Amino acid sequence: MGMVGGGLDAFIGAVHRRAAGFDGEIELVCGCFSSSPDKSKATGHALYLPENRVYTSFEEMITTEKSLPEGERMDFLSIVTPNHMHFPPAKMALENGFHVMCDKPMTLTLDEAKELADIVEMSGLVFGLTHNYTGYPMVKEARAMIKNGILGELRKVVVEYPQGWLSKKEEDNNYKQAIWRTDPAKSGAAGCMGDIGTHAENLAEYITGLKITELCADLTSFVPGRQLDDDGNVLLHFEGGAKGVLHASQIANGEENALKIYVYGELGGLEWHQMEPNTLKYKTQEGQRIIRPNVGTLSESAKAHWRMPAGHPEGFFEAFANLYRNFAYAVKAHMEGRDPDPLYDFPGVADGIRGLAFIDTVIASNSTETKWTKFIQ
C-alpha cells in the first residue's frame, strides 16, 4: 500500500494504517503524507519507511512507483486527504495501473464521481470506498436478516447521526479538522450532510438493500458565519414504498458519534447503535431478541467479519480493518485472474456515486419550495 495524506497530525490516516495492517495482508511501503515536504518526510521517518519511498507529491509517487519492478512497487493507493484531493490522485493511480482505496465522500462533485466511475470501469481495477460502518458484523447480520425476509416487507427506516463537536465555531480556533470540513472549496457543497449524512445514507441503503428514490430536505447552518450546513433533517422515500427519516447534526451538543439505525417491517424491527456495535436488537410485538456476534446461529456474512470469541469487545478499528482485508482479498483475486468472493464485500464506486448524488439531491431539495425532489442520478 501507498498512502496519500495521513500525516502525523491527521486523525484518519492513522486509523487507515492500523486497519490495513490488522490481518497481515497489507504492508505500507511508501507515501506522500502531506503537501508539506517536511511533514511528509517526518511522517515517513516515524513510520520507518526508507527515505526514497517518501515522496513530495502524489504525482511523483505514482510515477516513481510505476517505474519500480512489479514485486517491489506499491499494489494500491490509499487516499486519506480532504475531499477536494480525492479525485486527482485516484484518477492518476487508476490510469497508471494501481488499485485504489479512497476515503468518503469519493470526490468533491458528482461530475467527478461519474468520471471516476468511468475510469474504474475502463481500467478493470479494484476500487474501494471506506464507508467503514458497513464492516461491523452486526450490520452484516442485519442486512442478511432483511435479505432473508425476517422483517417481511419493509415499511419504515430511521437513521440518525448526531455529533456535537462543531457546536462552536471551531474553524476559527485553528482546529485543522474543522477548518477544511467547513470550507466549501475543500469539503464540497455540503458540510454536515457531506461528512456524516452520507454515512447515514449509505448505511440505510446497505442494510435495507433499498435505494432512496426521492427526498425532502431541510438544512441549517446554526453557528453564525459558518459557510456550510451543520445540521440537516431529511424525509426519505425508498423503492418498494418504504418511508424514512434521516437526521444528521454536528451541533447536537453533548453527542459523540451516535450513529443509530432502526428498520421496521411488517413482521418485526431491527435496531443497531454504532456506539454499542456488538448488539443488534430484533423486535416484534411478542418481545425482543438480543443478537450478539459469535453467539447462536448467525449468517455467513456476520461470521466472516467477527474476529474474537463471544464476549470479547470489538469495534471501530476492527470494522475498518474488515474493509481493508476484503479489499486486499479482491486485489489478490484480480492479480490471480479470478472473481472475488462476494462474502467479503466492501463499498465501491457505485456507493461513491450514490453519496455524491445524495448530497446534490439534499441541496436541491433544500433550495426549492417544491421540497420533494427525485434522487439525482
Side-chain angles (χ1 to χ4, degrees):
M1 177 176 79
M3 178 169 278
V4 175
L8 292 178
D9 58 346
F11 158 66
I12 203 65
V15 173
H16 281 255
R17 288 191 290 269
R18 291 167 186 158
F22 244 66
D23 294 284
E25 295 286 343
I26 297 168
E27 177 187 4
L28 179 70
V29 295
C30 63
C32 172
F33 302 103
S34 172
S35 57
S36 163
D38 289 341
K39 288 183 179 179
S40 184
K41 185 181 298 184
T43 303
H45 179 75
L47 296 172
Y48 306 104
L49 292 177
E51 289 186 8
N52 66 334
R53 302 294 289 276
V54 181
Y55 300 100
T56 59
S57 70
F58 73 82
E59 294 95 341
E60 179 194 16
M61 180 169 72
I62 292 170
T63 301
T64 303
E65 289 293 316
K66 186 179 180 181
S67 70
L68 297 176
E70 187 171 341
E72 184 180 340
R73 71 174 73 130
M74 69 176 181
D75 294 306
F76 77 93
L77 184 65
S78 174
I79 301 171
V80 297
T81 57
N83 302 349
H84 72 296
M85 284 302 297
H86 288 179
F87 178 71
K91 179 178 185 292
M92 185 176 180
L94 290 163
E95 290 176 340
N96 282 274
F98 296 108
H99 309 280
V100 172
M101 177 69 105
C102 185
D103 213 350
K104 45 60 58 190
M106 186 166 72
T107 56
L108 194 67
T109 69
L110 181 56
D111 285 344
E112 285 183 347
K114 290 178 177 179
E115 183 179 347
L116 193 61
D118 290 339
I119 295 170
V120 171
E121 184 176 2
M122 287 187 293
S123 71
L125 297 170
V126 181
F127 183 93
L129 191 68
T130 52
H131 275 299
N132 54 294
Y133 301 111
T134 64
Y136 282 104
M138 291 297 92
V139 167
K140 303 290 188 186
E141 181 66 14
R143 175 181 167 90
M145 290 176 69
I146 290 171
K147 185 177 181 180
N148 291 332
I150 302 298
L151 268 58
E153 183 178 347
L154 299 188
R155 294 172 172 173
K156 190 174 183 67
V157 182
V158 179
V159 61
E160 57 185 68
Y161 200 157
Q163 297 176 338
W165 71 288
L166 287 177
S167 295
K168 298 179 181 178
K169 204 161 187 283
E170 299 292 351
E171 56 266 42
D172 290 348
N173 297 327
N174 200 32
Y175 188 176
K176 180 180 178 180
Q177 296 299 321
I179 290 171
W180 77 258
R181 281 182 166 84
T182 57
D183 180 356
K186 294 182 178 180
S187 184
C192 171
M193 272 296 156
D195 191 15
I196 60 175
T198 51
H199 272 309
E201 165 267 326
N202 176 261
L203 187 67
E205 292 197 338
Y206 182 77
I207 285 181
T208 65
L210 302 177
K211 301 297 185 186
I212 299 166
T213 58
E214 60 181 353
L215 56 79
C216 176
D218 177 32
L219 305 182
T220 306
S221 298
F222 276 105
V223 175
R226 181 162 286 159
Q227 298 183 73
L228 295 173
D229 58 281
D230 49 28
D231 182 85
N233 304 287
V234 188
L235 298 176
L236 306 170
H237 286 172
F238 291 86
E239 58 189 8
K243 304 294 178 70
V245 180
L246 182 156
H247 90 77
S249 180
Q250 291 177 315
I251 50 83
N253 216 314
E255 294 289 356
E256 300 172 55
N257 275 278
L259 174 62
K260 305 180 184 74
I261 187 166
Y262 310 81
V263 183
Y264 303 102
E266 58 178 331
L267 303 178
L270 292 173
E271 176 182 342
W272 181 79
H273 298 194
Q274 193 267 154
M275 291 178 64
E276 297 178 4
N278 298 332
T279 297
L280 175 66
K281 294 181 181 178
Y282 171 55
K283 303 182 285 187
T284 70
Q285 290 304 107
E286 285 70 46
Q288 296 190 12
R289 174 188 166 207
I290 302 299
I291 303 171
R292 305 275 293 175
N294 227 351
V295 177
T297 302
L298 299 177
S299 66
E300 290 301 313
S301 182
K303 289 189 286 187
H305 293 85
W306 180 250
R307 297 160 176 275
M308 299 292 289
H312 291 71
E314 293 187 18
F316 184 78
F317 279 110
E318 289 85 353
F320 228 113
N322 283 336
L323 265 62
Y324 266 98
R325 180 200 63 183
N326 295 359
F327 179 83
Y329 286 172
V331 170
K332 281 187 172 182
H334 184 276
M335 291 175 173
E336 295 168 4
R338 56 181 174 83
D339 292 332
D341 187 340
L343 185 65
Y344 299 98
D345 66 319
F346 54 90
V349 70
D351 300 279
I353 289 178
R354 293 291 297 178
L356 270 299
F358 173 75
I359 292 170
D360 280 9
T361 310
V362 164
I363 292 171
S365 174
N366 185 65
S367 303
T368 178
E369 293 300 319
T370 305
K371 285 304 177 185
W372 281 107
T373 305
K374 295 292 184 184
F375 200 93
I376 294 172
Q377 300 295 326

